[in-house]
Amino acid sequence: MFHFTAARSIGVLAGVGAASLWALVGGPTAAAAPPASCPAPGEAAIQAGGEGAACSASSAAGGAAAAYGFDGNAQADAAPTSLSLAVAQNGGTAASAAQFLSGPAAIAVGPGAEATTIGVRPGLSIALAGPGASVTVNGTSAPTCTGGPGFAGDFQTWQGCVSMR
Protein backbone atom coordinates (compact mmCIF):
# COMPACT_ATOMS: atom_id res chain seq x y z
CA MET A 1 0.00 0.00 0.00
CA PHE A 2 1.22 3.51 -0.78
CA HIS A 3 1.65 5.70 2.31
CA PHE A 4 2.38 9.41 2.53
CA THR A 5 5.31 10.30 4.74
CA ALA A 6 6.09 13.78 6.03
CA ALA A 7 8.72 14.24 3.31
CA ARG A 8 6.28 13.25 0.58
CA SER A 9 3.60 15.52 1.97
CA ILE A 10 6.00 18.46 2.10
CA GLY A 11 7.13 17.73 -1.46
CA VAL A 12 3.53 17.68 -2.70
CA LEU A 13 2.73 20.92 -0.91
CA ALA A 14 5.88 22.58 -2.26
CA GLY A 15 4.98 21.47 -5.77
CA VAL A 16 1.43 22.74 -5.53
CA GLY A 17 2.65 26.02 -4.06
CA ALA A 18 5.21 26.46 -6.83
CA ALA A 19 2.59 25.67 -9.46
CA SER A 20 0.21 28.23 -7.97
CA LEU A 21 2.90 30.90 -7.82
CA TRP A 22 3.96 30.15 -11.39
CA ALA A 23 0.34 30.44 -12.59
CA LEU A 24 -0.09 33.80 -10.84
CA VAL A 25 3.17 35.26 -12.16
CA GLY A 26 2.49 34.21 -15.73
CA GLY A 27 -1.24 34.93 -15.54
CA PRO A 28 -3.22 35.73 -18.67
CA THR A 29 -4.07 39.29 -19.62
CA ALA A 30 -7.63 40.59 -19.72
CA ALA A 31 -7.78 40.21 -23.51
CA ALA A 32 -6.75 36.54 -23.45
CA ALA A 33 -8.70 33.95 -25.43
CA PRO A 34 -11.26 31.87 -23.54
CA PRO A 35 -9.76 28.75 -21.96
CA ALA A 36 -10.22 25.24 -23.31
CA SER A 37 -11.42 22.93 -20.55
CA CYS A 38 -11.26 19.12 -20.77
CA PRO A 39 -12.18 17.28 -17.55
CA ALA A 40 -12.48 13.50 -18.07
CA PRO A 41 -13.45 11.69 -14.86
CA GLY A 42 -14.10 7.95 -15.12
CA GLU A 43 -14.37 6.41 -18.54
CA ALA A 44 -14.40 9.48 -20.78
CA ALA A 45 -12.74 11.31 -23.64
CA ILE A 46 -13.08 14.99 -24.48
CA GLN A 47 -11.50 17.57 -26.79
CA ALA A 48 -11.97 21.32 -26.92
CA GLY A 49 -10.29 24.25 -28.58
CA GLY A 50 -10.44 27.53 -30.37
CA GLU A 51 -8.58 30.87 -30.64
CA GLY A 52 -5.17 29.44 -29.70
CA ALA A 53 -6.33 27.30 -26.77
CA ALA A 54 -6.73 23.54 -27.12
CA CYS A 55 -7.01 20.51 -24.87
CA SER A 56 -7.79 16.82 -24.92
CA ALA A 57 -8.24 14.35 -22.09
CA SER A 58 -9.11 10.68 -21.91
CA SER A 59 -9.40 8.27 -19.02
CA ALA A 60 -10.34 4.67 -18.42
CA ALA A 61 -12.90 3.52 -15.85
CA GLY A 62 -11.52 4.20 -12.36
CA GLY A 63 -9.12 6.91 -13.58
CA ALA A 64 -9.40 10.65 -14.01
CA ALA A 65 -7.72 13.04 -16.43
CA ALA A 66 -8.00 16.80 -16.82
CA ALA A 67 -6.42 19.15 -19.34
CA TYR A 68 -6.77 22.93 -19.51
CA GLY A 69 -5.48 25.24 -22.22
CA PHE A 70 -5.31 28.97 -21.48
CA ASP A 71 -3.92 30.18 -24.81
CA GLY A 72 -1.87 26.95 -24.88
CA ASN A 73 -2.18 23.24 -25.72
CA ALA A 74 -2.72 20.57 -23.05
CA GLN A 75 -3.22 16.80 -23.20
CA ALA A 76 -3.87 14.32 -20.36
CA ASP A 77 -4.45 10.55 -20.35
CA ALA A 78 -5.21 8.31 -17.35
CA ALA A 79 -5.39 4.54 -16.94
CA PRO A 80 -7.53 2.87 -14.23
CA THR A 81 -6.65 3.93 -10.66
CA SER A 82 -4.56 6.88 -11.82
CA LEU A 83 -4.81 10.66 -12.08
CA SER A 84 -3.38 12.89 -14.81
CA LEU A 85 -3.28 16.69 -15.10
CA ALA A 86 -2.00 18.99 -17.86
CA VAL A 87 -2.22 22.80 -17.84
CA ALA A 88 -0.84 25.03 -20.60
CA GLN A 89 -0.91 28.81 -20.59
CA ASN A 90 0.29 31.69 -22.77
CA GLY A 91 1.78 29.59 -25.60
CA GLY A 92 2.90 26.59 -23.53
CA THR A 93 2.44 22.90 -24.32
CA ALA A 94 1.74 20.37 -21.55
CA ALA A 95 1.27 16.59 -21.75
CA SER A 96 0.66 14.09 -18.98
CA ALA A 97 0.05 10.32 -19.06
CA ALA A 98 -0.68 8.12 -16.04
CA GLN A 99 -0.59 4.37 -15.46
CA PHE A 100 -1.61 2.30 -12.40
CA LEU A 101 -1.51 4.32 -9.14
CA SER A 102 0.45 7.25 -10.56
CA GLY A 103 -0.38 10.94 -10.45
CA PRO A 104 1.64 13.06 -12.88
CA ALA A 105 1.04 16.77 -13.45
CA ALA A 106 2.48 18.91 -16.27
CA ILE A 107 2.28 22.72 -16.23
CA ALA A 108 3.71 24.86 -19.05
CA VAL A 109 3.52 28.66 -18.86
CA GLY A 110 4.88 30.99 -21.52
CA PRO A 111 6.00 30.96 -25.15
CA GLY A 112 7.91 27.79 -26.03
CA ALA A 113 7.35 26.18 -22.63
CA GLU A 114 7.07 22.38 -22.82
CA ALA A 115 6.22 20.15 -19.84
CA THR A 116 5.82 16.38 -20.15
CA THR A 117 5.14 13.88 -17.36
CA ILE A 118 4.68 10.13 -17.53
CA GLY A 119 3.55 8.12 -14.54
CA VAL A 120 4.68 4.50 -14.87
CA ARG A 121 4.93 3.52 -11.18
CA PRO A 122 2.97 4.38 -8.05
CA GLY A 123 3.76 7.94 -7.02
CA LEU A 124 3.31 11.59 -7.82
CA SER A 125 5.35 13.69 -10.22
CA ILE A 126 5.27 17.28 -11.40
CA ALA A 127 6.90 19.22 -14.22
CA LEU A 128 6.77 23.03 -14.34
CA ALA A 129 8.14 24.79 -17.43
CA GLY A 130 8.50 28.54 -17.94
CA PRO A 131 9.14 30.45 -21.19
CA GLY A 132 11.54 28.54 -23.44
CA ALA A 133 11.99 25.64 -21.00
CA SER A 134 11.61 21.94 -21.69
CA VAL A 135 10.93 19.80 -18.61
CA THR A 136 10.43 16.03 -18.83
CA VAL A 137 9.62 13.37 -16.23
CA ASN A 138 9.54 9.83 -17.64
CA GLY A 139 9.21 7.94 -14.34
CA THR A 140 12.17 5.61 -14.98
CA SER A 141 15.21 7.91 -14.91
CA ALA A 142 16.16 11.37 -13.66
CA PRO A 143 13.92 14.22 -14.86
CA THR A 144 15.43 16.77 -17.29
CA CYS A 145 15.13 20.56 -17.18
CA THR A 146 16.63 22.60 -20.05
CA GLY A 147 16.33 25.87 -21.93
CA GLY A 148 14.58 28.19 -19.51
CA PRO A 149 13.18 28.35 -15.98
CA GLY A 150 11.85 24.94 -14.98
CA PHE A 151 11.39 22.50 -12.14
CA ALA A 152 10.59 18.79 -11.86
CA GLY A 153 10.02 16.50 -8.91
CA ASP A 154 9.42 12.77 -9.24
CA PHE A 155 8.41 10.50 -6.37
CA GLN A 156 8.66 7.51 -8.73
CA THR A 157 12.45 7.83 -8.94
CA TRP A 158 13.05 10.16 -5.96
CA GLN A 159 14.84 12.59 -8.25
CA GLY A 160 14.29 16.09 -9.57
CA CYS A 161 15.85 18.95 -11.51
CA VAL A 162 15.88 22.74 -11.63
CA SER A 163 16.76 25.11 -14.48
CA MET A 164 17.17 28.80 -13.69
CA ARG A 165 17.90 30.20 -17.16
Side-chain angles (χ1 to χ4, degrees):
M1 184 170 202
F2 187 75
H3 298 281
F4 273 99
T5 64
R8 287 182 182 168
S9 298
I10 290 169
V12 170
L13 291 175
V16 170
S20 300
L21 177 62
W22 208 303
L24 290 174
V25 170
T29 62
S37 176
C38 297
E43 190 170 357
I46 186 169
Q47 291 183 336
E51 296 187 40
C55 64
S56 67
S58 64
S59 63
Y68 301 95
F70 300 89
D71 194 27
N73 296 313
Q75 177 185 353
D77 296 302
T81 65
S82 67
L83 303 170
S84 182
L85 173 67
V87 179
Q89 183 176 359
N90 194 22
T93 301
S96 178
Q99 294 179 14
F100 183 71
L101 294 179
S102 66
I107 301 169
V109 179
E114 295 181 10
T116 303
T117 54
I118 302 171
V120 296
R121 302 182 224 192
L124 302 173
S125 60
I126 188 165
L128 300 169
S134 178
V135 180
T136 303
V137 175
N138 65 20
T140 59
S141 60
T144 60
C145 300
T146 61
F151 165 82
D154 185 9
F155 285 122
Q156 301 169 98
T157 62
W158 292 97
Q159 297 180 358
C161 64
V162 175
S163 174
M164 302 302 286
R165 287 190 208 174

